[in-house]
Amino acid sequence: MRKVILLIIFIGVVTQKSEAQNIRNFGDLRIHHSGQMGFFSSLENDGLFNNSKGLVGFYGNYQNIISGSISPNFYDFEINSDKGIFLQMPISVSNNTNFVYGNISTLKTDNSNFLELISTSFYNGETNFSKVNGFISISDIPNFLFPIGDEFYLRPLGIDTQSTNTSYKSAYHFENATQIYSNNIQKNTNLLFVNENEYWVLEGKSPTLITIGWNERSELRNFTDDISKITIVGFDKELKLWIDMSTVERTGDLEEGFITSKEFNPDDFSALTFGILKNNSPISHKGYHYLVSPNGDGINDFLFIPELSDFEYNHLQIFDRNGLKVFEQENYTNEFDGEAGSNLLAIKKKNGLPQGIYYYLITVGDKNLTIQGFLYLDR
């Protein structure tokens, strides 16, 4: 029996640009079954590009631009481009987005162009070198970690909502939000100071908790010597003031850590960042984020996730803050104690993993439900 060779035919033209060719689709472009298509050029899409299967990748040494009059819908999507992809229109991915190298970028002054992930979507490989430098939108995903940042750093934002039929859109800005909006702080509150180095934008109509992390570029150590005074603040659109969002989870040290807010409606706020309180603020741990301190004292010596006992199957992956996988285990039962996984030979195991923030992703059950969050490894 002969094998069937995939043939992709589309109506389009190739035009020469100053740096690379530009492919224009004004027909009906489809990829069938396990087909693959690679673009070493920009794509101008003025026709149908709606794929239920197959991989589309953007590669090369020049910046790839996706533009046109009709937004393409991809199944599997991959970026491995030295200068990344710039979106001049929205694009959507229904299955896997694979970050290899290069950023997917949009204007941050205009949220009309974005990468959209739907309820069946997932992504992998995000690092400081490959992420979304602009807006990314999700729909019908109640727990999600936005792989966003600026040109140089991955600065993710996590959401946790009870709503199963909603959408959110987010971007990260490495600039001073108090100059863009206002430096006014709500009076007669515990809030003392608003971080001037960075901020996040989150749009959405349904209440959610958010988690963001600080690092050395946040420079919070210049304003406090006590992490229990760190909080999340938001610029209230109606009051035109920065207010304390309150905190349910806070873990780390002054150099880096992460923090989770109480539930709020994102559309009520223009920007979100870190604030410093006058007095310590108590927290109530939700259990999604963990502290691992493998010092042999019998307290937090390993990563213990009680929810896993409710499922017959689980698959745990742990990543460092650059997106490098450092641990992986099927049917995890408390094996992670700060050492890299035995099957990850590229990582030196002698001294264990360094202190800092890590992200985990767990697939559980036969329906591939996901649990994700942060952990802080304290040496």
Side-chain angles (χ1 to χ4, degrees):
M1 182 176 179
R2 291 184 176 180
K3 293 184 178 179
V4 177
I5 305 299
L6 173 68
L7 178 64
I8 302 173
I9 301 176
F10 69 98
I11 301 173
V13 296
V14 178
T15 58
Q16 185 71 36
K17 299 185 75 173
S18 59
E19 291 186 335
Q21 292 180 330
N22 179 43
I23 292 179
R24 182 181 183 188
N25 170 46
F26 51 88
D28 186 354
L29 181 56
R30 296 178 183 273
I31 302 175
H32 299 282
H33 303 295
S34 59
Q36 300 180 8
M37 174 177 287
F39 287 90
F40 289 80
S41 64
S42 295
L43 170 65
E44 186 176 355
N45 193 63
D46 294 319
L48 296 179
F49 200 142
N50 191 351
N51 293 304
S52 59
K53 294 291 182 181
L55 169 69
V56 174
F58 284 81
Y59 312 100
N61 300 320
Y62 303 106
Q63 185 182 61
N64 305 110
I65 298 174
I66 301 179
S67 62
S69 59
I70 302 177
S71 294
N73 301 303
F74 303 108
Y75 181 72
D76 287 332
F77 186 84
E78 181 174 86
I79 175 173
N80 189 359
S81 173
D82 287 354
K83 295 186 179 180
I85 302 171
F86 184 75
L87 302 184
Q88 293 184 347
M89 67 189 319
I91 68 171
S92 64
V93 179
S94 60
N95 195 51
N96 178 37
T97 300
N98 186 27
F99 293 95
V100 180
Y101 191 85
N103 294 324
I104 300 174
S105 301
T106 75
L107 288 177
K108 294 186 180 180
T109 56
D110 180 1
N111 67 359
S112 61
N113 297 325
F114 49 85
L115 168 67
E116 179 183 20
L117 305 183
I118 61 176
S119 59
T120 56
S121 300
F122 60 97
Y123 63 86
N124 64 83
E126 75 285 0
T127 66
N128 283 342
F129 309 105
S130 191
K131 58 198 170 296
V132 177
N133 179 20
F135 281 97
I136 176 172
S137 171
I138 63 168
S139 58
D140 304 330
I141 306 177
N143 299 286
F144 187 76
L145 192 64
F146 287 92
I148 52 178
D150 66 353
E151 183 178 357
F152 302 107
Y153 282 91
L154 177 67
R155 303 293 285 124
L157 179 147
I159 63 165
D160 178 14
T161 178
Q162 299 300 312
S163 176
T164 57
N165 185 21
T166 190
S167 62
Y168 296 91
K169 187 184 294 182
S170 189
Y172 169 80
H173 299 253
F174 185 51
E175 54 186 304
N176 185 356
T178 66
Q179 290 184 349
I180 299 172
Y181 300 104
S182 166
N183 62 358
N184 294 325
I185 296 175
Q186 190 174 28
K187 297 180 179 179
N188 301 319
T189 68
N190 193 26
L191 183 59
L192 176 65
F193 174 80
V194 175
N195 181 272
E196 298 177 348
N197 288 2
E198 59 188 344
Y199 69 96
W200 288 259
V201 171
L202 179 65
E203 301 171 5
K205 298 183 182 303
S206 299
T208 183
L209 294 81
I210 68 162
T211 298
I212 54 178
W214 68 86
N215 62 13
E216 67 279 356
R217 67 168 13 187
S218 308
E219 298 184 352
L220 298 186
R221 64 186 179 278
N222 293 342
F223 307 102
T224 184
D225 57 2
D226 185 352
I227 71 164
S228 66
K229 293 183 179 180
I230 299 174
T231 189
I232 294 178
V233 297
F235 187 76
D236 190 291
K237 293 179 179 178
E238 182 177 350
L239 298 176
K240 307 297 182 184
L241 297 170
W242 291 96
I243 66 171
D244 179 14
M245 312 295 291
S246 299
T247 302
V248 297
E249 182 77 47
R250 186 192 300 113
T251 304
D253 58 24
L254 291 174
E255 294 298 323
E256 60 178 347
F258 55 82
I259 188 170
T260 300
S261 71
K262 287 187 177 180
E263 192 174 67
F264 68 98
N265 189 334
D267 277 354
D268 293 339
F269 297 88
S270 301
L272 304 161
T273 188
F274 304 106
I276 303 299
L277 301 172
K278 300 173 185 176
N279 303 304
N280 296 353
S281 171
I283 59 175
S284 56
H285 294 271
K286 282 183 56 54
Y288 296 118
H289 313 313
Y290 299 94
L291 172 68
V292 178
S293 54
N295 55 13
D297 65 355
I299 303 174
N300 299 320
D301 283 336
F302 54 84
L303 176 61
F304 171 61
I305 303 176
E307 290 88 351
L308 298 186
S309 63
D310 296 333
F311 301 93
E312 293 184 1
Y313 170 80
N314 71 73
H315 179 198
L316 167 70
Q317 299 177 84
I318 299 176
F319 305 87
D320 68 12
R321 71 177 189 175
N322 296 320
L324 176 66
K325 186 190 298 181
V326 298
F327 186 89
E328 184 172 18
Q329 179 73 47
E330 285 197 24
N331 294 320
Y332 176 79
T333 53
N334 308 331
E335 289 88 353
F336 181 72
D337 60 358
E339 299 290 333
S342 59
N343 58 333
L344 302 174
L345 301 179
I347 302 173
K348 295 181 179 179
K349 293 171 59 69
K350 182 177 180 181
N351 298 322
L353 295 170
Q355 178 171 303
I357 299 173
Y358 295 82
Y359 312 110
Y360 69 83
L361 174 66
I362 310 172
T363 304
V364 295
D366 56 2
K367 294 184 179 180
N368 291 328
L369 301 174
T370 59
I371 302 172
Q372 62 184 8
F374 300 77
L375 67 90
Y376 185 79
L377 181 60
D378 186 10
R379 293 289 185 184

